[in-house]
Amino acid sequence: MKTICLYFEIHQIIHLKRYRFFDIGTDHYYYDDYENERSITDIVERSYMPALNALEQMIRKSDGYFKVAFSLSGVGIEQMEMHAPQVIEKLQSLNETGCVEFLAEPYSHGLSSLIDAECFALDVKKQCKKIKEYFGKAPTVLRNSSLIYSDDIGLQAYNMGFKGMLTEGAKHVLGWKSPHYVYGCALAPDLKLLLRDIKLSDDISLRFNNADWEGYPMFADQYIDTIASLPEASQIVNIFMELSALGIAQPLSSRILDFLQALPEFAKMRGITFSTPSEICDKFKSVGTLDVPDTLSWADEERDVSCWLGNSMQREAFGKLYSVSERVRIANDPRINQDWDYLQASNNFRFMTTKPSNVGLDRGIYSSPFDAFTNYMNILGDFITRINNMYSTDIDNEQLNSLLTTIKNEGEEIAMKDKEIARLQAKIEKIEAAAEKLREQHEGASASTKKTAKKTTAKVAKKTSASRKAKAATTPAKPKSTGTKSTATAKKKTAKAETKK
């Protein structure tokens, strides 16, 4: 039984503003906020929301038979957080159906996998953290920017813990092999590779509304029939594209969403299922390894990285940017990190291409590749100066890393000691409170004892007084002394005295 893996990419270009040479050192903000807000608002209205609504209806109408996968760049999520939160809310609603999978990709949508393994790993981990924050689950399948892949990148993906990776089913890599099977990475056979079916994907994303195309008009039943007619042993059909293909590359007036919504019903009639990438990795075994010594991607006819690094201007800008990658990691400054993410985005280098392309390229504010290169290098010059101004360039990266690590460790130690001090102070306060309470209880008990003793003394005194009175009342009175004898004696003494005289 064949299964369809349908995947959409969501990424938003961060537009740079016109930045002159004389702005270097004086202006550290590089972005065209108006154009960024305008462009994402436009794409959300014309593509993202109508397409996501249609996909949600497909899931609910098919009672979970239809499934789909997405990958979101971190910088794209940031733009949606600011200008289009309804897109994130809709994706969360789709996530609740249990029929959607979110994939990992570099946060910056950059090309770090081509030059800096550590930077690439951090970029992917940062995006995974963002995905888990919004959708409650960390991705297990990786999709690199523009499906960029090589054996070395596959090995790194496996070492990062991913069980699968998406890439392009390029003819120069596959040779006689078919993209309708699961393959293993040549350097890490346990990493499963899902290869994009170029024709079936581009029939929707590039040719659907082309009246000059021999397959025009294309209907859902015909499309499913094409999949059903593939060799019986075929396992999977990977249809990968940008979500903006639905509404931007192929306008809604072409009824592209009607075509898409009809697919699950016709697929079910032909016994064709839908699966997410992780389900395919769990269900199917690889039929063999795929050797990809040179880097491939889904861009242009060559399916390589020449649209980003094909000329000397692009390579100069690329090398200059990543010359400070280690220092950026060491500095770990929030504002620098954000600029670093935005300046890594692959479109910055795509604007500098001199290659002819069968896919239209909108250079935005740039009039030529050289114009794009000049503007980017001006910004990059200011960015690098800011990094160097943070820490003296006399200190090499190793010394700086050691110094900052020491400072960090000391800071953590101080924080731990502050925590311990706070804990002990709280303990002292608790003990003092208990002692005060005990003192109050003791003083209360003493006062009560004194009061009781006073009452007891009063009662005893009262009883004693009453007893004396009672005794006095019952005892006979003694006769009173008359003093007669004493008087006679006195008289005798007086008489005797007078006789002597």
Side-chain angles (χ1 to χ4, degrees), residues 393-413:
T393 53
D394 294 335
I395 305 175
D396 61 31
N397 290 341
E398 187 175 348
Q399 290 175 321
L400 179 59
N401 188 30
S402 176
L403 176 63
L404 293 180
T405 300
T406 301
I407 293 172
K408 181 183 176 183
N409 292 340
E410 288 178 352
E412 290 176 352
E413 187 176 348

Side-chain angles (χ1 to χ4, degrees), residues 127-198:
Q127 188 263 3
C128 289
K129 183 178 179 182
K130 195 81 168 177
I131 292 295
K132 187 173 182 180
E133 176 186 332
Y134 275 113
F135 306 109
K137 186 178 179 181
T140 58
V141 176
L142 173 65
R143 179 262 183 198
N144 198 4
S145 306
S146 300
L147 298 188
I148 291 173
Y149 176 80
S150 69
D151 292 336
D152 292 332
I153 294 173
L155 176 60
Q156 186 174 359
Y158 177 75
N159 291 335
M160 290 167 63
F162 293 105
K163 62 183 178 182
M165 190 168 178
L166 274 56
T167 189
E168 181 77 336
K171 292 179 182 179
H172 70 276
V173 171
L174 283 171
W176 58 268
K177 297 178 181 178
S178 167
H180 303 135
Y181 298 91
V182 175
Y183 294 92
C185 171
L187 300 181
D190 289 337
L191 179 77
K192 295 185 176 177
L193 303 178
L194 280 63
L195 308 181
R196 176 177 178 260
D197 186 306
I198 297 174

Side-chain angles (χ1 to χ4, degrees), residues 199 202-204 207-223 226 259:
K199 181 183 181 304
D202 290 351
D203 281 351
I204 298 176
R207 295 184 281 269
F208 183 82
N209 194 44
N210 183 3
D212 296 328
W213 173 45
E214 61 181 10
Y216 180 85
M218 184 170 66
F219 298 99
D221 58 341
Q222 296 174 343
Y223 191 80
T226 301
F259 165 82

Side-chain angles (χ1 to χ4, degrees), residues 241-314:
M241 68 190 77
E242 296 176 357
L243 185 61
S244 60
L246 310 178
I248 303 298
Q250 307 304 319
L252 297 180
S253 59
S254 68
R255 310 203 57 161
I256 182 72
L257 295 183
D258 292 336
F259 165 82
L260 191 70
Q261 287 180 299
L263 291 178
E265 183 178 351
F266 286 110
K268 193 172 186 178
M269 290 170 58
R270 300 301 299 268
I272 299 171
T273 62
F274 289 85
S275 301
T276 62
S278 62
E279 288 177 340
I280 290 174
C281 290
D282 292 337
K283 184 177 179 180
F284 294 97
K285 294 182 178 180
S286 61
V287 296
T289 59
L290 192 69
D291 293 315
V292 189
D294 299 319
T295 309
L296 62 87
S297 76
W298 72 0
D300 295 344
E301 290 295 328
E302 295 83 359
R303 313 292 174 184
D304 58 14
V305 297
S306 58
C307 65
W308 301 288
L309 301 175
N311 62 47
S312 58
M313 292 185 296
Q314 292 170 312

Side-chain angles (χ1 to χ4, degrees), residues 353-386:
T353 186
T354 53
K355 281 181 59 180
S357 175
N358 62 345
V359 180
L361 175 62
D362 180 8
R363 297 185 198 271
I365 64 173
Y366 307 124
S367 58
S368 67
F370 182 74
D371 186 26
F373 171 74
T374 302
N375 199 69
Y376 184 80
M377 292 303 285
N378 286 341
I379 291 173
L380 192 56
D382 182 78
F383 178 70
I384 292 174
T385 300
R386 287 167 55 203

